[in-house]
Amino acid sequence: MTEAARLYRHVLEHDPNQADALNLLGVIAQQAGDLDQALHLFDQASTAAPGLATVPFNKANALRSAGREEEALAAYKTALDINPEYADALLNLGALLHDRGDTQAAIAQFNNLLKATPTHAKGHYNLGKCRQTQGRLDDAQVALTNAIELDPNDADAHFALANVLADLGKFEQAIAQIKIAINLKPNWPEANTNWANYLCELDLQEDALEKYEHALTLSPSNANATVNKAFALLSLGKLHDGWDCYKVRHESSAPGFASLNNSIP
């Protein structure tokens, strides 16, 4: 038992209905992997303090981490019934809805979040991701740019903006963003792969090969980097090396290659 857990248990010995202690013990139980105990403690906390929005919020997070998404949705909504401007609940509910493919409902939550807290960087970031999903790339660029202005050190936002710029055909700008992302989060294989892909779009295959090699050093089973490296080699006329690289996708048992083999000949 952690020191924090002992402290909260001590509080409950004197006041068994102390909602904050029950709630925080629930968080500790969830982090320790004891979902049943966590849910039991959250339910006790809700009974003790029905108006404490952090309790259903923490319960929702625990349910979501366990894959019980319908219950998590209900718990997030309970937290928001208590506090409609609860930023973290709006954010997590929106993210869960987006993960489930309900992009429009997710956008509604992120808009509610930004109406209540206009400077919420992650709200703008998630709104941008939703707009990208919808194919509204100009709107996605605006939202992600807003996110970066509010939090310039968010590597994920720079990475996402790079992808949107590339989708818009703005490859030089995409490269500028992906460089920032890698500076903030070094040794990121997906970012190095995307950088290489953008270079290929600019017919800079020789430069791209260096980035693919680095991505594969970081993640040898990176299917995207392997196959696109092969295409880059083939486009440069390096047929033997290109084919050797390309056929790896049929020989590898790494999970990424299975889905790739179903999408290209």
Side-chain angles (χ1 to χ4, degrees):
M1 184 183 298
T2 66
E3 184 61 33
R6 280 192 287 270
L7 175 62
Y8 299 138
R9 291 289 183 193
H10 180 71
V11 170
L12 292 173
E13 289 175 5
H14 296 277
D15 182 0
N17 294 318
Q18 217 292 326
D20 286 327
L22 291 164
N23 185 27
L24 293 169
L25 275 175
V27 172
I28 291 172
Q30 187 257 325
Q31 291 172 343
D34 191 344
L35 180 65
D36 289 339
Q37 176 66 3
L39 296 178
H40 174 68
L41 288 161
F42 292 140
D43 287 342
Q44 283 186 292
S46 288
T47 300
L52 188 60
T54 55
V55 176
F57 171 74
N58 288 331
K59 181 178 180 180
N61 290 339
L63 290 164
R64 183 184 179 191
S65 68
R68 293 164 60 173
E69 293 184 351
E70 290 292 341
E71 294 171 272
L73 288 173
Y76 283 131
K77 290 174 182 177
T78 298
L80 290 167
D81 286 340
I82 298 168
N83 179 5
E85 297 186 352
Y86 191 167
D88 287 343
L90 289 164
L91 181 70
N92 287 11
L93 176 56
L96 178 53
L97 289 165
H98 190 210
D99 288 346
R100 289 165 61 87
D102 195 346
T103 304
Q104 199 56 48
I107 287 171
Q109 298 304 321
F110 297 135
N111 282 335
N112 288 337
L113 168 57
L114 294 171
K115 182 179 178 181
T117 314
T119 58
H120 200 292
K122 282 297 183 185
H124 288 283
Y125 166 78
N126 281 279
L127 178 60
K129 295 286 288 181
C130 286
R131 293 305 190 195
Q132 183 181 19
T133 298
Q134 292 181 315
R136 294 176 56 175
L137 299 179
D138 289 331
D139 291 337
Q141 181 180 351
V142 170
L144 292 167
T145 300
N146 288 339
I148 289 168
E149 287 176 353
L150 292 164
D151 183 3
N153 294 320
D154 186 346
D156 291 333
H158 288 283
F159 180 83
L161 180 56
N163 291 337
V164 168
L165 290 166
D167 288 343
L168 287 165
K170 302 175 181 179
F171 296 107
E172 292 91 348
Q173 293 179 50
I175 289 171
Q177 290 300 319
I178 212 73
K179 286 180 179 179
I180 296 171
I182 291 171
N183 284 337
L184 292 167
K185 187 177 175 181
N187 302 325
W188 191 353
E190 293 79 11
N192 279 279
T193 301
N194 285 6
W195 187 351
N197 292 342
Y198 306 155
L199 288 166
C200 285
E201 293 289 346
L202 295 170
D203 290 327
L204 298 171
Q205 282 81 1
E206 289 285 2
D207 293 335
L209 288 174
E210 179 185 343
K211 302 305 174 189
Y212 287 133
E213 288 289 353
H214 186 50
L216 289 166
T217 300
L218 297 169
S219 176
S221 61
N222 185 327
N224 186 2
T226 299
V227 172
N228 285 311
K229 176 189 172 186
F231 290 150
L233 287 165
L234 292 169
S235 72
L236 289 168
K238 300 179 180 181
L239 304 184
H240 180 75
D241 290 341
W243 176 245
D244 282 348
C245 187
Y246 186 73
K247 69 183 181 181
V248 168
R249 72 186 181 91
H250 294 296
E251 300 168 353
S252 175
S253 60
F257 286 91
S259 59
L260 189 66
N261 289 337
N262 291 329
S263 63
I264 60 176

